[in-house]
Amino acid sequence: MTEDIFFMERALALAERGVGKVNPNPLVGAVIVKGGTIIGEGWHEAFGGLHAERRALENCRESAEGSTLYVTLEPCCHYGKTPPCTEAILAHKIGRVVIGAPDPNPLVAGKGSRILREAGISVTEGVLRKKCEEINRIFFHYIQTKTPYVTMKYAMTMDGKTATWAGHSKWITENPARVRVHEDRNRHMAIMTGRGTVEADNPMLNCRIPDGRSPIRLICDTRLRTRDTAAVVTTAGEIPTWFLTCCKDAGKRAIYETHGCRVLTVPEKEGHVDLRQAVRLLGEEGIDSIYLEGGSGLHASALEAGIVQEIHCYIAPKLFGGTDAMTPIGGPGVEFPSQAVRMRIRNVSFYGEDVLIESRVEQGEEVKRCLPES
């Protein structure tokens, strides 16, 4: 069992190399071991490319017959952009397969393991399952709900301010924290903000780490009033930019489309883009994950709509003060503490002197009672 854990850890490390390149596919790593020695390894390197198992087999230094395959996710058994990995495993006469997590994709969902067992291959499941599920929380959510996994991010001072009373917010955190933000932009398929943030900060919303991928930029603009000179508009030919709007005015839409932006019509709710309908539409468009970097109003609306799965809260050891200074979550707020949106902290880490608290939004019945119905 210790050996299984060792080689599965290696497979997990390999899987992480696909971050930012495989969406909306899962992150998968594979290691092939014979006589206690690794003879081949691989990972899912890019969407549409070879799966981890096939890449590991391709990289084998010797015959894989009788070897043990360690793979972080149950091997696929259906035809997609590539043939089933179960076929490759059988063809190479692998003797044992060790699986980290089952694949919730209805096309797999236990079928892959069953095919291998029925062919006489020894199958061990659930090795480092929690870790294997954790790295694919985006994929698992998307494949099961058909909507993107949404991570809300904000940076605030120790007194809970995201800007000074005059509206200045650069910079609350220092460079190490900002590097992590760009790593997470790379991890997510899209980044979302509102018109107010675009007007106030004129952000690029790109990814600035080596070999990183800039996410699709999603701008929530109910009436299409964003300046056509904004950076997200003028650079739409370089980085995909989509406007989510309730505006059907062909003339207004043409302004952005001329710059290369895509304009998607979303139903209106209480005078704003209906975010619950927006994520359903984006899921249909193949968007598996969204990094939400908005203002307090958009954050409040996203929480009220129940579309947020995870929150990244950066806290800087600074105090801004100011009764009118901005806070991360706006809107009317809740009346009683019992109505609070509850979170479960999963990790706390330091980036320089700044603290990052990563939390999952609980979706229990009490939280659901505070959210509007579909």
Side-chain angles (χ1 to χ4, degrees):
M1 192 62 180
T2 300
E3 185 178 77
D4 286 351
I5 291 173
F6 176 83
F7 289 120
M8 189 61 75
E9 288 279 13
R10 175 59 183 167
L12 279 164
L14 291 170
E16 285 284 354
R17 296 185 185 182
V19 167
K21 300 177 177 67
V22 303
N23 308 66
N25 282 355
L27 298 167
V28 185
V31 175
I32 300 174
V33 178
K34 196 170 186 179
T37 301
I38 294 176
I39 62 169
E41 57 184 25
W43 64 96
H44 187 31
E45 299 174 12
F47 177 72
L50 287 179
H51 287 188
E53 300 94 320
R54 287 183 174 271
R55 181 65 72 189
L57 287 165
E58 181 182 80
N59 292 337
C60 271
R61 299 191 301 272
E62 60 181 271
S63 170
E65 184 173 352
S67 65
T68 298
L69 166 68
Y70 293 85
V71 61
T72 55
L73 189 67
E74 179 183 2
C76 67
C77 53
H78 63 285
Y79 281 87
K81 291 185 177 296
T82 60
C85 289
T86 50
E87 288 187 1
I89 293 168
L90 296 176
H92 284 81
K93 300 180 180 179
I94 287 174
R96 180 176 179 238
V97 176
V98 181
I99 298 169
D103 189 340
N105 186 339
L107 295 174
V108 186
K111 299 184 187 74
S113 297
R114 187 173 68 248
I115 288 171
L116 297 177
R117 285 196 175 99
E118 290 175 350
I121 294 176
S122 172
V123 178
T124 301
E125 298 179 272
V127 175
L128 296 182
R129 176 170 177 168
K130 287 186 178 180
K131 286 187 176 182
C132 291
E133 290 178 337
E134 176 65 18
I135 66 166
N136 273 316
R137 61 189 182 278
I138 286 175
F139 170 74
F140 281 23
H141 174 85
Y142 179 67
I143 203 71
Q144 292 173 313
T145 69
K146 307 302 182 186
T147 61
Y149 186 98
V150 179
T151 301
M152 177 191 295
K153 168 263 170 183
Y154 54 83
M156 67 181 191
T157 58
M158 287 183 67
D159 55 342
K161 307 299 183 181
T162 57
T164 67
W165 65 266
H168 302 298
S169 59
K170 294 184 178 179
W171 293 100
I172 291 177
T173 55
E174 303 303 322
N175 191 62
R178 298 201 294 273
V179 170
R180 167 62 194 267
V181 168
H182 284 277
E183 291 173 348
D184 283 327
R185 287 182 178 182
N186 177 59
R187 181 176 293 270
H188 292 74
M189 198 169 181
I191 184 169
M192 177 183 284
T193 196
R195 184 185 71 87
T197 298
V198 172
E199 294 291 331
D201 300 335
N202 196 28
M204 276 292 292
L205 300 177
N206 59 354
C207 174
R208 296 190 286 275
I209 60 173
D211 198 34
R213 172 205 60 180
S214 289
I216 296 170
R217 300 180 296 200
L218 306 173
I219 314 301
C220 294
D221 185 351
T222 308
R223 307 291 174 222
L224 277 185
R225 294 180 294 177
T226 300
R227 290 179 291 107
D228 62 358
T229 55
V232 292
V233 177
T234 60
T235 61
E238 304 165 25
I239 303 173
T241 303
W242 299 3
F243 277 82
L244 305 176
T245 184
C246 305
C247 178
K248 298 181 181 178
D249 186 311
K252 282 188 175 183
R253 296 166 71 95
I255 293 172
Y256 303 97
E257 291 169 341
T258 299
H259 283 281
C261 300
R262 188 176 178 194
V263 183
L264 302 180
T265 303
V266 180
E268 184 172 334
K269 185 173 183 178
E270 297 177 358
H272 298 284
V273 167
D274 186 334
L275 292 176
R276 187 167 287 189
Q277 295 300 323
V279 294
R280 288 174 179 166
L281 173 62
L282 292 168
E284 292 171 0
E285 292 285 340
I287 302 298
D288 72 342
S289 52
I290 296 172
Y291 198 52
L292 176 57
E293 290 193 61
S296 63
L298 181 58
H299 287 172
S301 296
L303 288 169
E304 183 181 23
I307 68 168
V308 180
Q309 282 70 51
E310 187 168 337
I311 295 179
H312 289 187
C313 170
Y314 289 86
I315 304 175
K318 302 173 183 178
L319 300 173
F320 282 176
T323 303
D324 297 325
M326 193 70 71
T327 57
I329 314 297
V334 299
E335 183 177 2
F336 300 104
S338 61
Q339 296 174 314
V341 174
R342 299 182 184 277
M343 296 172 290
R344 176 169 45 85
I345 295 175
R346 71 175 188 86
N347 192 48
V348 178
S349 51
F350 280 86
Y351 290 87
E353 294 187 350
D354 300 317
V355 180
L356 168 60
I357 302 176
E358 299 172 72
S359 304
R360 299 287 165 76
V361 177
E362 292 187 350
Q363 298 294 339
E365 289 305 311
E366 186 164 338
V367 173
K368 290 178 181 178
R369 284 199 294 271
C370 302
L371 302 175
E373 295 181 356
S374 300

